[in-house]
Amino acid sequence: MSNAKSLPHSPGRPVVGHLFDVMRRTVFPVALEHWHRHGDAFVMQIGSHRVNTFVHPDAVERVLLTQREDFIKGPGYDQIRLLIGDGILTTEGETWRKQRRTIQPCMNRSFLVGFGETMVQATVDMVDAWTEHGEQTFDLDIYPQMLRLALRILGETLFSLDLSTSAEVSTRAFTVALEHLSQRGNQIFAPPLSWPTPGNRRLRRALGQLDEIVYGMIDERQAALDRGEQGPADLISLLLTHRDEAGAPMDRRLVHDEIITMFLAGHETTGLTLTWTWYILSLYPEIEARLHAELDEVLGGRLPTAADLPRLTYTKMILQESMRLLPPVWSGGRDVARDTELAGYALAAGERLMMLPYLTHRHPDFWEHPEAFVPERFAPDKQRGRHKFAYFPFSGGPRRCVGNHFTMIEATLAIAVIGQRVRFDLQPGHPVDRDYQITMRPRHGMRMRVSRRDPAVRVFDRQAS
């Protein structure tokens, strides 16, 4: 520690540092300017917080893997805890390990592929609704469409429920909650949630709406189990029938927290992944044509199934490259648990630490022409030898996102179904601004001109295929 250096920084304003700049522009452009000026390690002073920021994959690997005991999800996660409580995303230590072991059976890839038919049917129904009037071209904001698709799939697979009646309420509530929680994280002083400020009232209303939905799901299933009914083998039943070493059931609040965490991870981030993928494909028609060629060759006009996933290689590469350039979770953080050193720099207990997948995924030492959209980067031979933390859209190490397989299976099948039937062009003049909140959202939605593909490419009935 005696030889450790201090992180480079730009002083900003007295006392508040870069706080006002962050409040005005969000933290991302401030971090980007620091990266260009100082390189892969720097500190931003945001009010009373020193935010130690690391971009190089070596540092990311140490935070997420080799030095992970030095970095915890502490007070820096207090704002997101207002939304998702003490679920698997926010807990630490033995509590997290127990929760991970409990949930893991529902997240194994071998279990998830059984949901393939449900995922495909939900996507077919969505595209059918778009094209039922027979127009060859039409305009559509695909962002809410992708969110609703992800919510329907999440409900029918992990929860065995039709969430369509609550889709508008839950999507709007998540939007309000994420916006206000992001704002609270960038304030000099975030007033206690009990204070009746306009922002707090909107936030409490959104959180209440989400609680009503989630607790309604829990109580309905618990009542069925109490009546001796055999519940479906899904996440809700898994949580409600779990017993700890002493034979005690999981606390109702913790069941809520795990379910709402999955709501956020399985609905928000997957919907964003699909939205950003269609956006970037609309900018690269030659890559979109290669996608169509693979779908036509592999599927021959029939619906995809989970058995087709190993052959939809270019489709998967498109997804991976989309999440490299436009990761829905664009940043990640930790609190420094004890005085330590990272990449030669001294860090003090209690300080904040930030990682930025958005920037690491563009690091010129690991990515040639980093701003270009090149799915071939993820061909197996191209990935050999690449730093394993140069790309981490699902985080990494033991705390790698438990839903990574779910997202990849769902998104690959959805792209296959949609890509068979239609193609997208960004509507002329539509502004595409990235809103760097807790997730990276399209600020103005994603208005697309949708065109039906060649009618020779048709989808056969699943039974006939």
Side-chain angles (χ1 to χ4, degrees), residues 250-296:
M250 186 177 290
D251 182 80
R252 181 170 176 264
R253 178 69 200 185
L254 185 53
V255 174
H256 161 281
D257 294 349
E258 297 297 359
I259 290 174
I260 203 165
T261 297
M262 290 301 166
F263 250 107
L264 179 64
H267 160 224
E268 170 83 7
T269 58
T270 304
L272 284 168
T273 294
L274 290 168
T275 300
W276 288 121
T277 299
W278 292 123
Y279 160 68
I280 203 162
L281 277 172
S282 75
L283 306 180
Y284 289 84
E286 70 283 1
I287 295 175
E288 183 187 50
R290 281 199 60 186
L291 167 66
H292 292 155
E294 176 175 89
L295 298 178
D296 295 347

Side-chain angles (χ1 to χ4, degrees), residues 146-167:
M146 296 301 113
L147 286 177
R148 281 195 286 270
L149 173 64
L151 184 62
R152 174 179 168 178
I153 291 172
L154 180 72
E156 293 185 6
T157 56
L158 294 187
F159 303 148
S160 305
L161 292 171
D162 177 3
L163 297 178
S164 59
T165 57
S166 62

